[in-house]
Amino acid sequence: MKRKLVAAVGAVAMMASVAACGSDGGSESAKSPKDRKETLTVWLMVDAQSTWPELVKDVNAQFNKKYPGVKVDVQYQQWADKAKKLDTALGGDKFPDVVELGNTETMQYILNGALAEIDPKKYQNSDTWIQGLKDTCSFEGKQFCVPYYAGARVAIYNTEMLKKGAGVDKLPETEDELLAAMDKVSAEYGKKDKRFSSLYLPGRYWYAAMSYVAAYDGKIAEYDEGSKEWKASLSSPEAQKGIQHFIDLVKKYNKADQTKDEQDHANVMANEKAALLYGNGWESGSVIDGKNNGNPKLEGKIVTAGMPGPNGKALPSFIGGSDLAVTSKSKVADLGEEWISLFTSEKSMEVLAAKNILPNNTKQLEPLKAKPETAPIANAVPDAWFTPIAPGWTSIEKEEVLENMLLAILKGDSVEAATKAADAKINELINQES
């Protein structure tokens, strides 16, 4: 789910023979479960440690009830350096058997042969896995990871500012009404603070920009059946309309540095410099989290809603989330599969849903669509968009191409010129890597 993917130099060459090193447990897998004595190493992100540690504890207890002699070594990782650490580990002899991957990371490891193929039939609710997550684990008709949880971007807003500035109690449902309200909020709070942004959209926020592209039925790239290749399509009329719409909003409403990305936008709201953000649902908690530069005084004032988009429709959201995979080098792959099966079971998904974390399947997602705390994000997931499921879309460079395109437009380039240049660069990168 992290925005940036650390690109490892020589990763393809390093992992070219990884798949051949894997094992399903060999002779050990033939033993009775009570006679197994191996260690299963699991890499989870810190989200599990801080937000649902009881789930990890319970799953380990279930696992050890069947395999009392197997040690489950759960190691928690930070998003900032996980990819780099994983690349290094997979190149050596101390590697995880099970690893959590953000859904933008999976394709790189699938193509490098680092992940073992899985059988969806071994996992509960696999027939109702959220399609956007399932797609991030799929390549050429095969499945290489298991959806873990889902996420989507929503409107995050300050109810007090909206009430005082625009006289409304909740976020308007259409974009025209929303922008009219933002104009009033700008007038109210901008007279005292010239750096106040009623709608804070960072100019290099490519996830948001591509949501507006999707709103106009545009795409980053499309698969051409004739040539059997992916081709960039940001210069299409539909995509250009979406990009122009995004740029217009940035220029009108962002009164801060328009050339920044979205990495600190929750802090901008925490410092009461913005009334509305477009971000991940969990970022509403970051705004008020005093331990992480948030503002506890805003508790009870920061809420989420579906983000209105152009043409009277909701703004399409990027599908976020995490997946779980067994590494190809694992010598206890069968144990890894069983642990993941327990950790993503219907019972486990109930634990996540109770914490307002979106489960990996549409069956258990449905009740969250009606729950006030989760309705905005849960309703955004089924129709969410994702980056091209293309072999060439594995490099951080393509994210930089999108950011640089937006930056060029903000600095004066035409949308037409900037999108054509971006298309040319994306096509070059896809052809180099596919």
Side-chain angles (χ1 to χ4, degrees):
M1 47 190 303
K2 286 308 287 178
R3 181 179 172 282
K4 295 289 188 181
L5 173 62
V6 180
V9 177
V12 174
M14 176 189 76
M15 297 181 190
S17 63
V18 163
C21 301
S23 168
D24 63 0
S27 60
E28 292 295 316
S29 63
K31 291 183 178 180
S32 169
K34 63 181 178 61
D35 295 327
R36 301 285 292 268
K37 303 296 182 182
E38 303 101 317
T39 294
L40 177 70
T41 302
V42 178
W43 280 21
L44 291 178
M45 305 313 297
V46 291
D47 311 82
Q49 183 181 35
S50 61
T51 312
W52 47 91
E54 71 277 22
L55 175 59
V56 180
K57 183 178 180 180
D58 180 60
V59 166
N60 286 345
Q62 292 179 57
F63 184 85
N64 282 135
K65 187 175 181 179
K66 180 175 180 179
Y67 298 98
V70 174
K71 177 185 177 182
V72 181
D73 179 17
V74 178
Q75 301 176 10
Y76 294 101
Q77 308 297 322
Q78 300 287 339
W79 284 111
D81 64 355
K82 190 281 304 290
K84 185 176 182 180
K85 286 179 64 177
L86 180 59
D87 291 337
T88 300
L90 290 173
D93 57 5
K94 292 184 179 180
F95 46 83
D97 301 295
V98 172
V99 63
E100 176 182 346
L101 297 167
N103 63 356
T104 59
E105 298 175 316
T106 55
M107 189 57 69
Q108 172 181 343
Y109 293 101
I110 291 172
L111 293 173
N112 287 341
L115 308 184
E117 185 181 351
I118 63 104
D119 179 1
K121 294 179 182 179
K122 294 182 179 180
Y123 304 90
Q124 284 189 331
N125 290 320
S126 60
D127 57 338
T128 59
W129 279 343
I130 292 170
Q131 191 62 45
L133 286 183
K134 182 179 178 181
D135 287 346
T136 68
C137 288
S138 306
F139 185 64
E140 294 184 341
K142 297 179 180 180
Q143 200 80 13
F144 293 89
C145 48
V146 178
Y148 174 13
Y149 64 86
R153 283 169 171 77
V154 293
I156 302 169
Y157 67 100
N158 185 312
T159 55
E160 184 177 72
M161 288 182 173
L162 199 67
K163 180 66 174 178
K164 183 178 179 180
V168 294
D169 295 314
K170 63 180 182 178
L171 202 72
E173 295 183 0
T174 69
E175 189 182 59
D176 287 345
E177 293 172 332
L178 171 66
L179 298 183
M182 291 300 99
D183 290 340
K184 293 178 181 178
V185 173
S186 292
E188 173 66 28
Y189 289 89
K191 59 190 177 186
K192 293 182 180 179
D193 185 354
K194 300 299 182 183
R195 302 280 286 178
F196 177 81
S197 304
S198 57
L199 167 58
Y200 183 70
L201 275 178
R204 287 195 289 125
Y205 189 4
W206 71 266
Y207 284 115
M210 295 305 106
S211 283
Y212 285 96
V213 166
Y216 283 93
D217 296 323
K219 294 180 175 65
I220 298 173
E222 296 185 84
Y223 186 72
D224 181 66
E225 289 288 350
S227 63
K228 303 298 181 184
E229 291 181 343
W230 285 84
K231 294 183 178 180
S233 54
L234 290 171
S235 58
S236 70
E238 295 82 5
Q240 288 183 356
K241 286 179 183 178
I243 292 168
Q244 185 66 64
H245 192 109
F246 170 77
I247 293 294
D248 290 344
L249 292 176
V250 172
K251 287 185 174 180
K252 182 174 182 180
Y253 293 102
N254 185 344
K255 303 302 180 182
D257 182 353
Q258 295 180 349
T259 65
K260 293 182 70 175
D261 62 29
E262 77 282 9
Q263 290 299 289
D264 68 343
H265 67 179
N267 288 334
V268 173
M269 177 169 274
N271 290 323
E272 299 182 77
K273 298 290 186 180
L276 171 63
L277 303 176
Y278 179 59
N280 292 292
W282 54 263
E283 289 182 281
S284 60
S286 299
V287 174
I288 62 174
D289 185 358
K291 296 179 181 179
N292 292 289
N293 300 316
N295 184 354
K297 294 180 180 179
L298 295 179
E299 187 169 358
K301 300 176 182 178
I302 307 301
V303 300
T304 62
M307 184 71 170
N311 305 318
K313 299 179 180 179
L315 186 66
S317 178
F318 174 83
I319 181 73
S322 276
D323 304 310
L324 292 165
V326 175
T327 59
S328 295
K329 292 186 77 172
S330 174
K331 293 180 173 60
V332 289
D334 62 320
L335 297 180
E337 288 184 340
E338 193 153 352
W339 190 91
I340 293 175
S341 178
L342 291 171
F343 200 65
T344 59
S345 69
E346 187 163 327
K347 178 183 176 182
S348 294
M349 291 296 105
E350 287 176 1
V351 175
L352 297 187
K355 294 178 177 291
N356 296 331
I357 304 299
L358 302 188
N360 66 4
N361 64 88
T362 56
K363 174 186 173 182
Q364 292 177 280
L365 178 70
E366 199 61 31
L368 300 185
K369 293 181 180 180
K371 188 177 179 181
E373 300 93 330
T374 54
I377 188 170
N379 284 294
V381 163
D383 297 321
W385 62 274
F386 194 67
T387 50
I389 308 294
W393 195 275
T394 59
S395 169
I396 191 174
E397 291 180 84
K398 291 176 203 62
E399 296 183 5
E400 292 174 344
V401 169
L402 298 177
E403 289 186 347
N404 290 338
M405 174 192 69
L406 296 171
L407 190 60
I409 298 170
L410 287 168
K411 290 183 176 181
D413 285 5
S414 69
V415 171
E416 291 78 7
T419 54
K420 287 180 179 178
D423 275 357
K425 186 62 177 177
I426 289 172
N427 283 330
E428 175 187 334
L429 290 168
I430 289 176
N431 290 332
Q432 280 182 352
E433 298 175 22
S434 60

